[in-house]
């Protein structure tokens, strides 16, 4: 995020001109009211009303981890945040290292956030759950754009790195941490796509309850029956369509045959049999199948086919 020619991501690391602090488990974030309060009505209210925060300019955050707060700050200054298990967006991590955020160096959670993770750290569970945690802090402080972004990143994580147990863990976290109904809708949508697998996991059944599990199982049975019925109807429709096409083709051939007979009667004056050559008088002979008759003209005198 930028303001004119000023990159705000660079401003947060220096702590210069900061007029507000976010403190979480000993980690101190020196921020700027004009950046933070314009994006969070909740923090703006805490700063501007007659709370202790309005006198000290310090907001104590107790319900979230420092790593989650750091992602929120990153978003407020850059408009984005890196994947939860990877370093911050380009340039932001360096400013976190150079800043005086860690007033208690013994806290390991925040320094570990900045270090590049190992392959063992990079799990679908961590990805999904930490997007949920970021959504929870966005919902708590009413940062709408961060809520939207975290929902989008959560959905992308589900679709690109699906893992059943990880999804269940993230779902449990979302129901307990976040009141964002839109996130719950995203979770419900992704759950519906994988409902057969999820219902085999006891923990998921515990989340929705025994009655909910029964309802879903019966919904699945009905959906499968409806799907079978649709398949049968589609097959029957295709069969009828084939029959109709065949009937139309037969009708076209019959009409064409009759047309040739009529044309012959109009054009011919004498029998085509040279030994007959009688003035042309004919009758129509019907042959072929009952469902597709074949009509032939024959001379009434010599019975020659004309």
């Amino acid at each position: 995020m930028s303001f004119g020619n000023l990159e705000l991501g660079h401003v947060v690391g220096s702590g210069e001109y900061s007029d507000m602090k976010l403190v979480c488990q000993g980690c101190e974030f020196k921020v700027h009211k004009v950046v933070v309060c314009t994006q969070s009505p909740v923090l703006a209210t805490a700063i501007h009303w007659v709370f202790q925060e309005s006198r000290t300019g310090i907001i104590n955050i107790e319900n979230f981890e420092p790593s989650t707060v750091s992602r929120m700050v990153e978003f407020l200054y850059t408009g984005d945040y890196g994947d939860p298990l990877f370093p911050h967006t380009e340039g932001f991590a360096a400013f976190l290292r150079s800043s005086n955020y860690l007033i208690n160096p013994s806290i390991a959670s925040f320094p570990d956030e900045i270090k590049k993770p190992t392959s063992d750290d990079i799990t679908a569970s961590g990805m999904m759950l930490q997007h949920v945690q970021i959504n929870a802090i966005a919902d708590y402080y009413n940062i709408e754009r961060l809520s939207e972004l975290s929902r989008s990143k959560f959905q992308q994580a589900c679709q690109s790195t699906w893992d059943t147990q990880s999804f269940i863990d993230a779902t449990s976290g979302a129901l307990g941490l976040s009141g964002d109904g839109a996130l719950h809708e995203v979770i419900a949508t992704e759950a519906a796509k994988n409902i057969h697998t999820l219902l085999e996991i006891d923990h998921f059944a515990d989340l929705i309850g025994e009655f909910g599990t029964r309802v879903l199982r019966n919904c699945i049975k009905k959906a499968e029956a409806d799907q079978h019925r649709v398949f049968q109807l589609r097959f029957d429709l295709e069969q009828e369509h084939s029959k109709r096409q065949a009937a139309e083709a037969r009708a076209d051939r019959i009409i064409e045959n009759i047309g040739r007979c009529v044309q012959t009667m109009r054009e011919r004056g004498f029998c085509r049999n040279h030994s007959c050559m009688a003035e042309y008088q004919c009758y129509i002979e019907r042959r072929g199948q009952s469902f597709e008759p074949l009509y032939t003209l024959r001379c009434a005198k010599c019975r020659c086919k004309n």
Side-chain angles (χ1 to χ4, degrees):
M1 183 179 295
S2 62
F3 185 80
N5 294 324
L6 178 64
E7 290 291 335
L8 296 183
H10 293 261
V11 174
V12 66
S14 66
E16 291 184 338
Y17 310 112
S18 65
D19 51 6
M20 179 179 175
K21 291 180 183 179
L22 305 178
V23 179
C24 178
Q25 298 182 23
C27 297
E28 181 180 288
F29 300 81
K30 295 180 180 180
V31 294
H32 305 79
K33 293 178 183 178
V34 68
V35 174
V36 173
C37 295
T38 54
Q39 299 182 74
S40 170
V42 174
L43 291 173
T45 299
I47 285 295
H48 292 298
W49 286 78
V50 288
F51 301 121
Q52 179 181 352
E53 291 84 352
S54 65
R55 297 192 300 272
T56 63
I58 298 175
I59 303 290
N60 289 296
I61 299 177
E62 300 176 351
N63 299 325
F64 300 96
E65 294 296 320
S67 59
T68 304
V69 178
S70 74
R71 296 297 179 178
M72 179 186 73
V73 173
E74 179 182 13
F75 172 82
L76 292 173
Y77 280 85
T78 68
D80 194 9
Y81 67 87
D83 288 330
L85 294 179
F86 291 88
H88 288 270
T89 51
E90 185 177 357
F92 197 79
F95 288 101
L96 290 177
R97 293 191 188 97
S98 64
S99 68
N100 191 30
Y101 286 162
L102 289 177
I103 59 176
N104 184 353
S106 65
I107 296 177
S109 60
F110 194 82
D112 287 345
E113 171 67 14
I114 299 176
K115 291 190 300 183
K116 183 176 181 180
T118 65
S119 58
D120 293 336
D121 297 326
I122 304 172
T123 64
S125 177
M127 282 289 198
M128 293 181 187
L129 186 56
Q130 290 195 54
H131 285 311
V132 165
Q133 292 169 343
I134 293 167
N135 178 270
I137 199 170
D139 180 65
Y140 189 85
Y141 289 112
N142 194 17
I143 307 173
E144 293 185 4
R145 289 175 54 246
L146 180 56
S147 295
E148 294 174 3
L149 182 62
S150 59
R151 288 196 299 268
S152 176
K153 286 179 178 282
F154 175 84
Q155 190 167 33
Q156 291 173 8
C158 289
Q159 295 172 354
S160 62
T161 57
W162 174 265
D163 178 79
T164 301
Q165 188 58 53
S166 300
F167 178 81
I168 293 173
D169 293 341
T171 299
S172 178
L175 297 178
L177 294 173
S178 177
D180 184 3
L183 175 64
H184 296 172
E185 183 65 26
V186 169
I187 292 173
T189 299
E190 295 302 319
K193 296 176 183 177
N194 300 275
I195 193 62
H196 289 85
T197 303
L198 289 170
L199 286 177
E200 299 302 319
I201 308 298
D202 291 339
H203 190 188
F204 183 77
D206 293 340
L207 284 176
I208 62 176
E210 181 181 355
F211 179 73
T213 302
R214 289 182 179 179
V215 170
L216 284 177
R217 291 190 187 279
N218 281 281
C219 285
I220 290 173
K221 289 180 181 179
K222 184 179 184 304
E224 290 174 344
D226 290 343
Q227 186 178 28
H228 177 74
R229 178 60 177 161
V230 168
F231 176 81
Q232 185 63 48
L233 289 173
R234 185 178 298 165
F235 176 79
D236 293 343
L237 181 61
E238 290 175 353
Q239 291 291 99
E240 290 299 320
H241 182 65
S242 297
K243 291 178 181 179
R244 179 179 176 180
Q245 286 182 320
E248 290 176 349
R250 287 196 301 271
D252 289 341
R253 290 193 294 270
I254 293 170
I255 292 171
E256 183 181 359
N257 177 222
I258 294 174
R260 287 196 300 268
C261 291
V262 172
Q263 187 69 20
T264 299
M265 287 188 292
R266 286 177 178 175
E267 296 177 350
R268 187 156 297 166
F270 300 92
C271 177
R272 62 183 293 188
N273 185 356
H274 293 290
S275 62
C276 177
M277 293 297 291
E279 185 176 346
Y280 193 61
Q281 293 183 8
C282 66
Y283 67 92
I284 298 176
E285 179 185 60
R286 175 174 172 169
R287 298 181 294 112
Q289 302 293 329
S290 60
F291 58 85
E292 188 176 352
L294 178 63
Y295 300 103
T296 304
L297 293 178
R298 290 190 179 275
C299 175
K301 182 179 179 181
C302 71
R303 301 182 185 278
C304 175
K305 181 179 177 181
N306 281 263

